[in-house]
Amino acid sequence: KQKSINQSSKQNLIKNENRAKPLSDEAIMAKIEDEFNIKLVRRTITKYRKALNIASSSERKKLYAIQGWLNDD
């Protein structure tokens, strides 16, 4: 039986990511494909990420640094 992908499961991927190395759209795609057994393209991930107002991985990394989530080594 195929699991359904809902908004909260997509947001949980981002919420639980390593803040020092945020997930790229390709990594999100691979995790969704593995967990939900469906085939996607990166454009689809980008479209839904933007629709959910989730920044790109490089933008999230900058935001995490500004918010103090990253240690200065």
Side-chain angles (χ1 to χ4, degrees):
K1 185 178 179 182
Q2 190 175 14
K3 296 181 186 177
S4 65
I5 304 172
N6 58 30
Q7 182 174 344
S8 65
S9 60
K10 289 178 227 153
Q11 289 175 323
N12 282 335
L13 279 173
I14 303 301
K15 184 178 178 181
N16 298 322
E17 72 185 348
N18 177 349
R19 298 194 187 284
K21 190 170 173 156
L23 295 170
S24 66
D25 288 348
E26 291 85 5
I28 293 169
M29 179 182 70
K31 284 183 174 273
I32 289 174
E33 286 179 351
D34 288 345
E35 186 172 338
F36 296 97
N37 196 27
I38 58 171
K39 197 73 176 156
L40 298 170
V41 294
R42 187 197 50 78
R43 286 186 314 240
T44 304
I45 300 300
T46 303
K47 174 184 163 182
Y48 286 111
R49 178 180 50 74
K50 288 180 177 181
L52 294 169
N53 292 320
I54 297 172
S56 69
S57 59
S58 59
E59 291 168 340
R60 291 193 313 274
K61 186 172 183 175
K62 290 175 189 174
L63 289 171
Y64 295 149
I66 290 169
Q67 294 171 350
W69 284 97
L70 298 177
N71 293 331
D72 294 331
D73 292 330

